[in-house]
Amino acid sequence: MGDKAASPPAWAEKVIGEKENEASVLAILQPKLVMLTHKSATRLEACGDIPQGLHHIAARAPDVFAMKGVIELLLELLRFSPGLNAPRDGLFQHHLACTLLLLGHENVDLWPIAFVHAYLQDALDRRMWVDAQPSQSAMNESHRFVANMLTAFPTGTPQAGDSKLGNGGNG
């Protein structure tokens, strides 16, 4: 088992080597991410070396997960539901996508608005990942991703005289 952890998948190394070429990165990552949405991918163990390879890329070349095409693939993974009856089906896929998006944008000040759209979509529907709680390491990253999404929404209590409130109906 130790050897497997020590040697990343060859495809992950290829992504790192091609990190400046989005088309090459997408050609490698797209089939891997699509495999995570297959109905047989209900457990992390059933996904082979894909999670390990994605984590290896995130550790060595996190900017890969800030590429527009890769963001789109990860947002699709956030929308993934294998159609199971459990309210949180596909959970590890959601946490993996949240983790990769977070790691790819940790040093980015302005995140894509598509992240907020994905958050709202899940918050108003099945709540498959927006309620992530910081209990396991993968869930901690999901929780951090969600916490960052929440910064897009005003949280303060409006005060009298707040210019955004207009004149309060006083003339």
Side-chain angles (χ1 to χ4, degrees):
M1 202 66 164
D3 290 337
K4 188 174 184 180
S7 60
W11 63 266
E13 285 296 330
K14 185 164 180 164
V15 168
I16 292 167
E18 295 286 329
K19 67 183 179 184
E20 302 300 323
N21 183 340
E22 185 170 353
S24 293
V25 167
L26 284 173
I28 299 166
L29 286 183
Q30 184 171 20
K32 301 294 182 190
L33 292 171
V34 167
M35 286 177 72
L36 292 176
T37 64
H38 191 271
K39 64 182 177 180
S40 67
T42 56
R43 294 180 342 276
L44 189 61
E45 303 80 35
C47 298
D49 66 357
I50 297 171
Q52 175 198 8
L54 293 171
H55 282 292
H56 180 72
I57 295 165
R60 300 242 343 259
D63 291 349
V64 163
F65 301 108
M67 293 177 167
K68 186 177 191 267
V70 176
I71 290 170
E72 290 171 8
L73 291 172
L74 291 171
L75 290 174
E76 282 300 315
L77 196 55
L78 277 179
R79 293 182 196 100
F80 167 70
S81 174
L84 302 175
N85 292 327
R88 303 283 189 262
D89 57 1
L91 195 59
F92 88 85
Q93 288 95 336
H94 303 138
H95 291 302
L96 181 61
C98 286
T99 298
L100 298 175
L101 288 168
L102 175 69
L103 293 173
H105 291 83
E106 276 187 319
N107 297 320
V108 177
D109 290 330
L110 188 60
W111 286 15
I113 194 70
F115 291 6
V116 176
H117 291 180
Y119 173 86
L120 288 172
Q121 223 175 7
D122 192 54
L124 295 171
D125 194 17
R126 294 186 66 200
R127 303 187 72 84
M128 293 185 290
W129 57 270
V130 298
D131 294 327
Q133 296 299 314
S135 58
Q136 300 171 346
S137 62
M139 293 179 99
N140 280 339
E141 300 301 334
S142 295
H143 181 73
R144 285 182 48 216
F145 182 74
V146 169
N148 274 290
M149 292 300 95
L150 294 176
T151 64
F153 303 100
T155 57
T157 304
Q159 302 295 318
D162 186 341
S163 62
K164 294 180 183 175
L165 297 176
N167 63 10
N170 294 330

